[in-house]
Amino acid sequence: MKCTKCGKPASVKLRHYNIKLCKEHFNEFIEQRVEKAIKKFKMFGRNSKILIAVSGGKDSVSLWHMLKKLGYEVDALFIRAGKSGMVQKAQEIVEKNAELLNTKLHIVDATEYFGGLSTQEISIMLRRPVCSICGVVRRYLMNKFAYENGYDVVVTGHNLNDEASVLLGNILHWQEGYLERQWPLLPKTHEKLVPKAKPLVLNYEEDIKLYATLNEIPHLEMACPFSVGATSLVYKKILRELEEEQPGITLNFYLGFLKRKKEPKFEVEGLRECKECGYPTTAEVCSFCRLRKQVEKRKNKTPA
Amino acid sequence: MKCTKCGKPASVKLRHYNIKLCKEHFNEFIEQRVEKAIKKFKMFGRNSKILIAVSGGKDSVSLWHMLKKLGYEVDALFIRAGKSGMVQKAQEIVEKNAELLNTKLHIVDATEYFGGLSTQEISIMLRRPVCSICGVVRRYLMNKFAYENGYDVVVTGHNLNDEASVLLGNILHWQEGYLERQWPLLPKTHEKLVPKAKPLVLNYEEDIKLYATLNEIPHLEMACPFSVGATSLVYKKILRELEEEQPGITLNFYLGFLKRKKEPKFEVEGLRECKECGYPTTAEVCSFCRLRKQVEKRKNKTPA
């Protein structure tokens, strides 16, 4: 198997691009697709103050390495959502990568906002799916930290398969609101909302896994234990099956959607400031503060 | 298990509707969904001269029975596309149903247009997928027969899963032309083009199978042998998997598409009459006549 670019022995074969690449040209290929996403969707520039939200998983950590390699100045933020062994292990992994990359790593402990409770404990207490709680908490704290520390953009590790599976689900259920907003960059729509960018959207999940492995980037091997049974995984499985039959379909499907999208609609009607914390929301009290109040109320009810 | 309608013992459970029904109410339920499709999409009326294209498969044959039961006057057309045992068996089945329903059955032998060759033989000769040849031949001969015999509409047995899987494929590949035209009724767009209707579009394939079985309607058990490996089957399999997770998603997906479709675009630009046969085409010679010429040319080349 020869590298399509240089003819040297290839170490990887990428069916969805129908190419074989040696390690060097594979790295280059994947990194160029990140650079392409950044430029194509005007995500940020070399002088932007960039904050990457890292979970310890292969996507965010690999992206962290790629951005540094591409010459971007990037600090990292790790949000502790609990005290489990997995959280501890994830923190150790991101600390190790911060060392390797010689970059600033900020750690925010979400449990401090909920009297020490983890998102899992909150989910049990309120009988709500942990993913919905985790999503509210992470989005809020990422934005809050980025805004209060003057970052120009928050970067997350969402990859092509993440975006295409969300897209497939939103089309199957005709979720027009979400379809209108889905875009690789969520620009500034309020003074206190920091733009959010997904530079990995042009890269397949399996290629990022390969990138992390080939370049021995420390990362969590296990997926989030709470993701088991998540609907998005159903759509991911379906896209993987389709790729078996039609290599490249995931990318064509996602790019076809972006290409046909006239003007993504980001403005959120009725955005105002939460009367508790002052951060933007469409309700009187934002979902994060509502969550805090619910937890507080429930804690006061339960005997110590 | 009790019938949701009458409380008597139910013989079927339909997950996608979350109902259980006795045979009588199951028949009624499925037939009403055919009547609903006919009315909702203004397919035809009680006085329309209706021609149903029957293949011997469960869909077209069950629909034939349903339309008779719903009080529509309907003649049937069976197109012989070859001489295989399966074609023979299919013909016997449609003849038997014609007897049961006491309705006129017309039989057209497609091989007569191709010097006796079957669509399979043509596909081997021209190295083209048999489905593409079969599609051209059937659509042409159905329309020709219907037009020349004064029918108001041609009815086919395409069911919900057929339509939803075509839709899924067209969305995944952003086939805008097909998406614009996909509609349960293809109205008259040319003097010599007879409208085409699909009254089974609101019924799940598995329910039609159940209907044929419960009502002991003679039908071919085997799918068309040439359909093996067809791309549409990939999408059908995916929709079945989705139904396992989210019962009812196929119907919601398809209805959501129809609901959001402003005005289906049926007009075909540049439609003119084929200089060979006079039937409408966008080319100088229609695909059917081109096919005949190719076969003729190839036959003349090969020594007898």
Side-chain angles (χ1 to χ4, degrees):
Chain A
M1 207 166 73
K2 288 241 171 63
C3 171
T4 311
K5 289 246 169 145
C6 65
K8 281 191 225 139
S11 31
V12 299
K13 182 178 178 191
L14 308 183
R15 274 186 84 226
H16 31 264
Y17 301 117
N18 193 21
I19 49 170
K20 298 159 196 132
L21 296 167
C22 64
K23 180 183 167 192
E24 186 208 334
H25 284 120
F26 167 69
N27 281 346
E28 186 192 74
F29 182 79
I30 298 298
E31 289 153 15
Q32 273 173 0
R33 294 188 70 78
V34 168
E35 187 67 22
K36 187 178 165 194
I38 294 166
K39 292 271 175 314
K40 186 178 167 86
F41 301 104
K42 305 184 185 73
M43 293 184 174
F44 43 78
R46 282 283 175 321
N47 313 325
S48 301
K49 203 177 172 211
I50 305 165
L51 181 69
I52 183 167
V54 287
S55 62
K58 65 173 187 315
D59 298 303
S60 54
V61 169
S62 300
L63 178 57
W64 192 3
H65 281 254
M66 293 180 202
L67 291 176
K68 286 287 287 184
K69 216 171 150 190
L70 289 165
Y72 291 96
E73 264 322 303
V74 54
D75 295 346
L77 170 68
F78 176 72
I79 297 176
R80 289 184 61 97
K83 297 152 280 195
S84 70
M86 180 129 175
V87 171
Q88 197 46 38
K89 199 169 167 224
Q91 182 167 332
E92 282 156 18
I93 280 176
V94 293
E95 283 165 345
K96 200 157 170 215
N97 279 288
E99 234 175 85
L100 284 171
L101 293 168
N102 186 21
T103 41
K104 217 185 285 174
L105 168 65
H106 307 282
I107 297 179
V108 163
D109 187 344
T111 67
E112 286 167 13
Y113 292 85
F114 299 95
L117 292 182
S118 71
T119 45
Q120 187 184 14
E121 286 160 332
I122 299 168
S123 125
I124 295 163
M125 174 195 260
L126 303 182
R127 292 206 192 90
R128 267 179 59 183
V130 65
C131 294
S132 85
I133 290 169
C134 197
V136 165
V137 168
R138 283 182 191 280
R139 278 191 297 269
Y140 180 89
L141 291 177
M142 268 195 313
N143 181 69
K144 176 180 168 69
F145 186 89
Y147 173 69
E148 290 172 4
N149 294 276
Y151 286 93
D152 301 317
V153 60
V154 175
V155 158
T156 59
H158 295 86
N159 58 52
L160 168 64
N161 298 68
D162 295 325
E163 292 298 295
S165 56
V166 164
L167 175 60
L168 181 59
N170 286 336
I171 286 179
L172 285 167
H173 290 278
W174 302 103
Q175 304 279 354
E176 271 146 331
Y178 289 118
L179 287 169
E180 269 175 8
R181 286 172 60 85
Q182 186 172 359
W183 195 250
L185 172 75
L186 200 55
K188 201 169 193 58
T189 52
H190 182 282
E191 172 40 31
K192 290 184 175 175
L193 281 179
V194 178
K196 283 208 301 194
K198 303 172 184 174
L200 281 181
V201 288
L202 299 183
N203 274 303
Y204 276 82
E205 181 155 20
E206 61 191 84
D207 296 351
I208 300 158
K209 177 75 186 162
L210 212 51
Y211 185 92
T213 312
L214 277 179
N215 295 289
E216 291 160 16
I217 295 174
H219 63 278
L220 280 171
E221 298 283 346
M222 245 182 72
C224 169
F226 301 122
S227 64
V228 174
T231 319
S232 56
L233 292 186
V234 171
Y235 305 129
K236 275 198 168 179
K237 179 175 156 265
I238 275 167
L239 286 171
R240 274 198 306 274
E241 275 172 37
L242 279 169
E243 277 288 336
E244 283 303 310
E245 303 278 339
Q246 304 169 29
I249 188 169
T250 311
L251 185 61
N252 294 337
F253 172 49
Y254 181 60
L255 287 183
F257 167 71
L258 296 180
K259 216 174 78 187
R260 277 159 187 79
K261 232 177 134 167
K262 303 217 175 35
E263 252 318 301
K265 225 182 110 211
F266 297 116
E267 298 318 321
V268 178
E269 267 130 45
L271 212 53
R272 52 191 162 163
E273 294 197 354
C274 166
K275 75 177 170 97
E276 298 284 332
C277 69
Y279 274 90
T281 173
T282 49
E284 236 188 65
V285 176
C286 75
S287 45
F288 184 81
C289 293
R290 277 203 313 272
L291 189 62
R292 292 190 71 189
K293 282 174 164 292
Q294 286 171 330
V295 168
E296 228 169 285
K297 210 168 126 200
R298 195 63 65 90
K299 277 192 87 170
N300 299 342
K301 259 197 218 159
T302 20
Chain B
M1 206 165 78
K2 287 237 170 61
C3 173
T4 311
K5 288 246 169 144
C6 65
K8 281 192 229 141
S11 33
V12 298
K13 182 178 179 191
L14 308 183
R15 274 185 87 228
H16 30 263
Y17 300 117
N18 194 21
I19 48 169
K20 299 162 195 129
L21 296 167
C22 64
K23 181 183 168 192
E24 187 209 332
H25 284 118
F26 167 70
N27 281 345
E28 186 191 75
F29 182 79
I30 298 299
E31 290 153 13
Q32 273 173 0
R33 294 188 70 78
V34 168
E35 185 68 22
K36 187 179 165 193
I38 294 167
K39 292 271 173 316
K40 186 178 167 85
F41 302 105
K42 305 183 185 72
M43 293 184 173
F44 43 79
R46 282 277 175 323
N47 312 326
S48 303
K49 203 178 172 210
I50 306 165
L51 181 70
I52 183 168
V54 287
S55 62
K58 65 173 187 314
D59 298 304
S60 55
V61 169
S62 300
L63 178 57
W64 192 3
H65 281 254
M66 293 180 202
L67 291 176
K68 288 287 286 186
K69 216 170 149 189
L70 289 166
Y72 292 95
E73 264 322 302
V74 53
D75 295 347
L77 170 68
F78 176 73
I79 297 176
R80 286 185 62 96
K83 297 152 278 195
S84 70
M86 180 130 176
V87 170
Q88 197 46 40
K89 198 165 167 225
Q91 183 166 333
E92 283 155 19
I93 281 177
V94 293
E95 283 165 345
K96 200 157 169 213
N97 280 288
E99 235 175 84
L100 285 171
L101 293 168
N102 185 22
T103 41
K104 215 186 287 172
L105 169 64
H106 306 282
I107 297 178
V108 163
D109 187 345
T111 67
E112 285 168 12
Y113 293 84
F114 298 96
L117 293 183
S118 71
T119 46
Q120 187 185 13
E121 286 160 331
I122 298 168
S123 124
I124 294 163
M125 173 194 260
L126 303 183
R127 291 205 194 91
R128 267 179 58 184
V130 65
C131 294
S132 85
I133 289 170
C134 198
V136 166
V137 168
R138 285 181 190 279
R139 277 190 298 271
Y140 180 89
L141 292 178
M142 268 196 311
N143 181 69
K144 176 179 166 73
F145 186 88
Y147 174 68
E148 289 171 9
N149 293 276
Y151 286 93
D152 301 316
V153 61
V154 175
V155 157
T156 59
H158 295 86
N159 58 52
L160 168 64
N161 298 66
D162 295 327
E163 293 298 295
S165 57
V166 164
L167 176 60
L168 181 60
N170 286 335
I171 287 180
L172 284 168
H173 290 278
W174 302 105
Q175 304 278 354
E176 272 147 329
Y178 290 117
L179 288 169
E180 270 175 7
R181 287 172 59 85
Q182 186 172 359
W183 195 251
L185 171 73
L186 200 57
K188 200 169 193 55
T189 52
H190 183 284
E191 172 41 29
K192 290 184 176 175
L193 282 179
V194 178
K196 284 207 299 191
K198 303 171 185 173
L200 282 181
V201 288
L202 299 182
N203 273 304
Y204 277 82
E205 180 156 22
E206 60 191 84
D207 297 351
I208 301 158
K209 177 73 186 165
L210 213 48
Y211 185 92
T213 312
L214 277 179
N215 295 289
E216 292 162 13
I217 296 174
H219 64 280
L220 279 171
E221 298 282 346
M222 243 184 76
C224 169
F226 302 121
S227 62
V228 173
T231 320
S232 57
L233 293 186
V234 171
Y235 304 130
K236 276 199 168 179
K237 178 174 159 266
I238 276 167
L239 286 171
R240 275 198 306 275
E241 277 172 36
L242 279 168
E243 277 288 336
E244 283 303 312
E245 303 278 339
Q246 304 168 29
I249 188 169
T250 310
L251 185 62
N252 294 336
F253 172 49
Y254 180 60
L255 287 183
F257 167 72
L258 296 181
K259 214 175 78 185
R260 277 160 187 78
K261 230 174 139 170
K262 308 231 171 22
E263 253 317 300
K265 221 180 116 218
F266 297 116
E267 298 318 321
V268 178
E269 267 131 45
L271 211 53
R272 51 191 162 165
E273 295 196 354
C274 166
K275 77 174 169 105
E276 298 285 331
C277 68
Y279 274 91
T281 172
T282 49
E284 234 187 63
V285 177
C286 75
S287 45
F288 184 80
C289 293
R290 276 204 311 274
L291 189 62
R292 292 190 72 189
K293 280 175 168 289
Q294 285 171 328
V295 168
E296 224 169 287
K297 210 168 129 200
R298 194 63 66 88
K299 276 193 89 170
N300 298 343
K301 258 197 220 158
T302 21

